[in-house]
Amino acid sequence: MTTGTRQLDTTELEQRVKGMYEEVALEPDREFHFETGRPLAERLGYPAADLDRIPAAAIDSFAGVGYFLDLAAIKPGEVVLDLGSGSGTDSFLAALAVGSSGRVIGIDMTDQQLDKASRLAVEGGSGNVDFRAGYIERPPVEPEGFDCAISNGVVNLSPDKRAVFAAAARALRPGGRLALADIVTDTQLPEGVTCDASLWAACIGGAMQRDGYRAVIESAGFEIEVWRDNPEYRFVSDRADNATQKYGVTSISLLARRT
Ligand SMILES: C[S@@+](CC[C@H](N)C(=O)[O-])C[C@H]1O[C@@H](n2cnc3c(N)ncnc32)[C@H](O)[C@@H]1O
């Protein structure tokens, strides 16, 4: 979703996003525009006891922006789709919640994230979670095959958010839930920010204005039931922090139901 006359180069954006999250998978201790890892997950509200039950190396590469699994309320036996699963933190937690009678499918476009998550699933004996290569705008899954779709810090990275929410609606059975955390803004970002692929890859440039974001979800066929701000999420570089303060860039978590 682009605005104005200048255009974001979506091919460059995809390469930058892949490059950024390749590094998050392979070198999680590096410094990024955003925080990563277990201290971040715990500050966002992930219960330590739950994190203790999933592979530590997945959490090292955690790059989410908020906690939302309490809203998702995933039950044993359910089938869950994780859009932009990264190294797998939320997928592994969802896999614990669905148990052996349920299933989790994580989708990601970055090979190194997928390879890491898949390796950790095999090493940890998580037979009910499967990581697939794909785009969140057109995930390679059966229609109406899921009880719940989850996503953390990913939709803001997509230049076609309408396609992402339409794909989530298609993947869910009627009444299915969408629970996610993402970045939104108070005011529409100017072109200087929205056309900057490196600020997109840092989870800022692609953030939509919050009312517009709600409207896109609703027009995809969802009713938003819970919407909450996550003030505990913050960006770390000066450049990112400036944009954050100027345009009210914030993390939110939400629960929506497919009508
Ligand atoms: C900020 S990270 C979050 C990863 C994971 N959800 C977590 O919480 O750690 C964003 C992830 O989304 C993936 N991604 C971004 N845009 C995507 C797209 N259009 N289709 C599929 N994956 C995408 C990236 O490869 C990266 O792994």
Side-chain angles (χ1 to χ4, degrees):
M1 186 162 294
T2 53
T3 54
T5 48
R6 279 176 64 191
Q7 291 288 312
L8 176 75
D9 180 339
T10 52
T11 308
E12 183 196 352
L13 173 65
E14 182 175 329
Q15 291 318 313
R16 284 207 188 232
V17 171
K18 283 180 170 169
M20 175 90 71
Y21 293 102
E22 170 182 340
E23 286 176 16
V24 170
L26 301 180
E27 301 173 67
D29 293 336
R30 271 202 39 189
E31 204 166 283
F32 300 97
H33 282 291
F34 44 85
E35 285 178 274
T36 53
R38 181 160 181 148
L40 167 66
E42 288 195 17
R43 203 178 70 242
L44 293 177
Y46 282 77
D50 292 349
L51 295 174
D52 286 343
R53 298 177 63 205
I54 67 168
I59 309 168
D60 289 344
S61 294
F62 172 73
V65 300
Y67 185 61
F68 59 91
L69 290 171
D70 55 332
L71 303 178
I74 298 166
K75 294 180 274 302
E78 288 195 318
V79 184
V80 176
L81 175 63
D82 186 0
L83 294 166
S85 41
S87 288
T89 295
D90 292 306
S91 291
F92 287 121
L93 291 169
L96 289 177
V98 300
S100 56
S101 59
R103 205 153 56 93
V104 179
I105 295 176
I107 305 289
D108 206 283
M109 69 176 187
T110 303
D111 293 340
Q112 294 77 7
Q113 293 272 50
L114 279 172
D115 291 349
K116 182 169 184 177
S118 301
R119 175 175 53 79
L120 294 172
V122 171
E123 286 172 5
S126 308
N128 60 349
V129 55
D130 180 24
F131 294 99
R132 292 185 190 166
Y135 292 91
I136 58 172
E137 295 83 0
R138 43 184 190 285
V141 295
E142 288 295 306
E144 300 199 350
F146 294 84
D147 301 293
C148 185
I150 60 174
S151 184
N152 199 344
V154 186
V155 183
N156 71 88
L157 294 168
S158 172
D160 193 352
K161 294 167 181 53
R162 209 170 281 283
V164 176
F165 291 121
R170 263 196 314 279
L172 287 169
R173 62 167 174 74
R177 289 112 60 212
L178 170 67
L180 59 77
D182 201 13
I183 301 295
V184 297
T185 66
D186 287 339
T187 55
Q188 168 72 46
L189 295 170
E191 281 180 357
V193 177
T194 60
C195 293
D196 182 328
S198 67
L199 276 178
W200 270 74
C203 281
I204 294 173
M208 266 186 93
Q209 196 278 337
R210 55 175 68 222
D211 301 326
Y213 190 89
R214 288 182 75 106
V216 173
I217 295 174
E218 285 164 353
S219 68
F222 289 99
E223 208 165 279
I224 297 172
E225 295 184 352
V226 181
W227 173 281
R228 72 177 179 219
D229 283 10
N230 300 319
E232 55 285 343
Y233 185 75
R234 51 182 184 257
F235 292 93
V236 289
S237 75
D238 285 347
R239 188 155 180 238
D241 201 40
N242 287 343
T244 304
Q245 302 207 2
K246 199 159 172 192
Y247 306 109
V249 183
T250 40
S251 162
I252 54 101
S253 294
L254 66 84
L255 172 69
R257 196 170 295 274
R258 199 199 124 175
T259 51

